[in-house]
Amino acid sequence: AQSVTQLDSQVPVFEEAPVELRCNYSSSVSVYLFWYVQYPNQGLQLLLKYLSGSTLVKGINGFEAEFNKSQTSFHLRKPSVHISDTAEYFCAVSAQTGANNLFFGTGTRLTVIP
Amino acid sequence: DADVTQTPRNRITKTGKRIMLECSQTKGHDRMYWYRQDPGLGLRLIYYSFDVKDINKGEISDGYSVSRQAQAKFSLSLESAIPNQTALYFCATSPSGGALARFFGPGTRLTVL
């Protein structure tokens, strides 16, 4: 099976500053990787996904993530955050073959400070 | 209109009661899922269904059951609710094949007293 570790449970950052949310995964097979965002009182929305090809993936709202196979990481970045980015962010991993169950990390709460 | 809807959005019940949470989707996806979210634990898979005749247990299926009434409907039941089932429950869908990104409903907040 696959697993995901999100190293930071909370990340405070000032408005317009850059941010990186860390995600490491474990898997014995090739994987797909995802980042989801959950705004207060809402369900999860897909931010971006890595399937294959370029290791730098761009998503919605100015976010991007880089797949690093050697370090088994898929860190999420944004060069300049806004108040509206305050939310919880989940990294998730799925095997490329088989049942493709999606395994979620425990989440990182990003708080943007005015 | 939302693609994935869940009813009710909030529910408070007592220990021992039977509870059903319902999920409907208009995305036309074959695959449907039930997850529960607990603070600090992320999302954990309860049950999933790849089509109307296919039901599979997830990581934490004990104490839960499901019914796939149609392609668009997937219900989660707690036969005898207990307090540690207090959580936020999400329904999700995905298309068959390919990378299985999930499309989530807005969630049901369940409190078991």
Side-chain angles (χ1 to χ4, degrees), chain A residues 19 21 25 31-36 46-69 73-79 91-92 96, chain B residues 99 101:
Chain A
V19 69
L21 306 183
Y25 69 92
V31 296
Y32 298 131
L33 291 156
F34 307 83
W35 275 99
Y36 285 85
L46 182 66
L47 261 183
L48 49 78
K49 59 186 176 184
Y50 171 77
L51 306 181
S52 64
S54 173
T55 57
L56 183 64
V57 179
K58 293 189 183 298
I60 62 172
N61 300 339
F63 284 91
E64 63 181 31
E66 186 158 18
F67 171 56
N68 188 319
K69 189 175 182 179
S73 68
F74 190 54
H75 300 331
L76 181 70
R77 302 184 184 100
K78 186 170 182 177
C91 183
Q96 290 189 8

Side-chain angles (χ1 to χ4, degrees), chain B:
Chain B
D1 289 339
D3 295 318
V4 183
T5 57
Q6 293 182 232
T7 55
R9 293 295 311 279
N10 288 282
R11 182 72 184 268
I12 300 173
T13 191
K14 294 182 178 179
T15 297
K17 294 292 188 181
R18 183 177 188 275
I19 296 297
M20 179 179 286
L21 309 183
E22 299 187 349
C23 175
S24 295
Q25 55 119 342
T26 58
K27 299 191 74 65
H29 291 164
D30 289 327
R31 301 186 178 196
M32 299 186 73
Y33 309 81
W34 276 104
Y35 291 89
R36 76 176 266 176
Q37 183 181 24
D38 298 277
L41 294 179
L43 277 77
R44 292 179 292 168
L45 182 64
I46 306 172
Y47 270 95
Y48 62 101
S49 169
F50 282 2
D51 64 40
V52 174
K53 296 180 180 179
D54 176 79
I55 301 289
N56 304 281
K57 292 183 177 181
E59 304 169 62
I60 53 164
S61 58
D62 287 349
Y64 302 94
S65 63
V66 290
S67 173
R68 185 80 183 267
Q69 300 94 326
Q71 187 205 36
K73 296 184 182 297
F74 193 36
S75 300
L76 176 72
S77 293
L78 288 67
E79 297 301 325
S80 180
I82 56 177
N84 76 0
Q85 291 177 315
T86 293
L88 193 52
Y89 290 85
F90 287 102
C91 175
T93 73
S94 69
S96 298
L100 301 179
R102 307 287 190 263
F103 296 84
F104 284 84
T108 294
R109 186 169 296 280
L110 177 66
T111 303
V112 183
L113 301 175

Side-chain angles (χ1 to χ4, degrees), chain A:
Chain A
Q2 292 69 49
S3 67
V4 172
T5 300
Q6 291 184 245
L7 298 167
D8 305 300
S9 59
Q10 298 187 58
V11 174
V13 62
F14 286 104
E15 193 174 14
E16 298 184 4
V19 69
E20 178 180 84
L21 306 183
R22 297 182 292 169
C23 171
N24 287 90
Y25 69 92
S26 174
S27 177
S28 58
V29 299
S30 296
V31 296
Y32 298 131
L33 291 156
F34 307 83
W35 275 99
Y36 285 85
V37 59
Q38 183 181 28
Y39 298 106
N41 300 313
Q42 295 186 27
L44 281 71
Q45 301 174 31
L46 182 66
L47 261 183
L48 49 78
K49 59 186 176 184
Y50 171 77
L51 306 181
S52 64
S54 173
T55 57
L56 183 64
V57 179
K58 293 189 183 298
I60 62 172
N61 300 339
F63 284 91
E64 63 181 31
E66 186 158 18
F67 171 56
N68 188 319
K69 189 175 182 179
S70 63
Q71 297 188 7
T72 61
S73 68
F74 190 54
H75 300 331
L76 181 70
R77 302 184 184 100
K78 186 170 182 177
S80 176
V81 295
H82 303 289
I83 296 291
S84 59
D85 293 324
T86 294
E88 187 139 21
Y89 292 80
F90 292 93
C91 183
V93 64
S94 171
Q96 290 189 8
T97 57
N100 301 113
N101 285 331
L102 197 59
F103 296 92
F104 287 86
T106 53
T108 297
R109 183 168 298 279
L110 173 65
T111 301
V112 180
I113 304 164

